[in-house]
Amino acid sequence: RARAADVPAPSTEGPTFREVLRDIAAQAGLLDGPLAPVSPTPASSEPDEPDEPARPAPVLPDRRPERSTFASLGIPGVLHERRPSSASVAQRLLAVLEGIDPPPPVLARRGDVVAVVGCDDGVLAAAGVLAEELGQTLDDVVVAGPDETGFHTVCDAESAASRRALWRRCGVPFVVAVQAPAGSRGAAWASEVLHALDPVTVWAAVSAERKPEDVVAWVERVGGADALAVSGCDATASPAAVLGTGIPVAVVEGRRATPAAWTALLVERLAV
């Protein structure tokens, strides 16, 4: 007991300790204002010496982990600098997303073909958006697939070329949903069909779960795309990662991918 009494207790007084606490709180995102000074605890019954005049603690900058929050949503780091210094989370997200280049407009004349290519149900949803923009409905969408049964009126490059020659003489544009099988063979099949269709616009329907580099590689294998149609955002923690592909996003979860639509989706994700 005598030895324990000889060991001095750790001091929590003085500016050094308060600064350490302030730095820790700021780094954890818990500090919105100056840290209150720590009240000294008398060490003995002897009278205290007069304290020095108290100086107000400096106002520290906001160090909340916003950058890591944006990164967790998948927003590319190059976009983080495009935000205002002080605003709500939704306003900061909107400012970031407004800096993204929009997809090119869909300009289809009579007899033109616009196509959506992909490996899942997101193909039909995106084709429905395209059809609506052209004054049509999902029932007007032509479905292409390697299986000749069912609704697949285009099943290979030969039938695609035949249909394309017929459509050139029609008075409306045509929307084609190219449902490619998964894998490299499916990508090769889709590339041949798209080449025969000769579309004026191509959207690639992809899942938000896929890594950006995998999306880019697949799009290149099918022959390229003017924009992406993204679905499956609920299945990933970083739905905005697809923005890092460098390919504009035209549709997200079945609706036009406006900055407001992206912001609503990401703010909802932060609230979960």
Side-chain angles (χ1 to χ4, degrees):
R1 292 182 180 176
R3 293 178 180 177
D6 293 338
V7 177
S11 174
T12 59
E13 300 181 28
T16 301
F17 187 79
R18 289 197 295 271
E19 289 172 1
V20 171
L21 287 180
R22 187 181 300 113
D23 287 342
I24 293 174
Q27 294 174 13
L30 302 176
L31 187 62
D32 289 319
L35 189 67
V38 179
S39 300
T41 303
S44 65
S45 59
E46 296 180 1
D48 296 336
E49 296 183 0
D51 294 335
E52 296 182 0
R55 292 177 296 178
V59 178
L60 298 177
D62 185 2
R63 297 182 182 177
R64 295 174 184 175
E66 179 186 274
R67 185 177 298 273
S68 61
T69 299
F70 282 12
S72 70
L73 294 171
I75 296 177
V78 70
L79 300 177
H80 293 174
E81 304 302 328
R82 302 181 186 177
R83 61 176 179 81
S85 58
S86 61
S88 68
V89 173
Q91 289 171 328
R92 292 195 290 268
L93 279 170
L94 183 61
V96 167
L97 295 165
E98 283 179 339
I100 300 173
D101 294 333
V106 179
L107 303 176
R109 299 172 298 180
R110 292 181 299 177
D112 284 342
V113 172
V114 292
V116 181
V117 59
C119 301
D120 53 31
D121 294 339
V123 179
L124 285 176
V129 175
L130 261 179
E132 184 177 355
E133 292 189 5
L134 296 177
Q136 302 176 13
T137 68
L138 186 58
D139 292 335
D140 299 312
V141 173
V142 177
V143 182
D147 186 358
E148 297 184 26
T149 61
F151 294 101
H152 296 163
T153 56
V154 173
C155 58
D156 53 25
E158 183 179 356
S159 58
S162 176
R163 289 276 178 170
R164 183 71 186 93
L166 176 64
W167 293 338
R168 289 186 189 277
R169 301 191 295 269
C170 295
V172 295
F174 289 84
V175 179
V176 182
V178 181
Q179 294 182 318
S184 57
R185 294 184 63 181
W189 173 87
S191 177
E192 293 176 357
V193 169
L194 288 171
H195 180 74
L197 289 172
D198 190 24
V200 296
T201 295
V202 177
W203 286 358
V206 299
S207 172
E209 293 181 273
R210 301 185 67 178
K211 295 186 294 185
E213 55 268 33
D214 292 339
V215 170
V216 172
W218 184 82
V219 168
E220 290 177 350
R221 285 198 293 269
V222 299
D226 300 291
L228 300 178
V230 181
S231 60
C233 292
D234 288 341
T236 176
S238 52
V242 71
L243 297 173
T245 61
I247 307 172
V249 177
V251 174
V252 58
E253 295 299 353
R255 58 176 174 169
R256 267 294 188 171
T258 62
W262 268 116
T263 300
L265 186 149
L266 297 177
V267 168
E268 182 180 2
R269 177 58 51 83
L270 290 175
V272 174

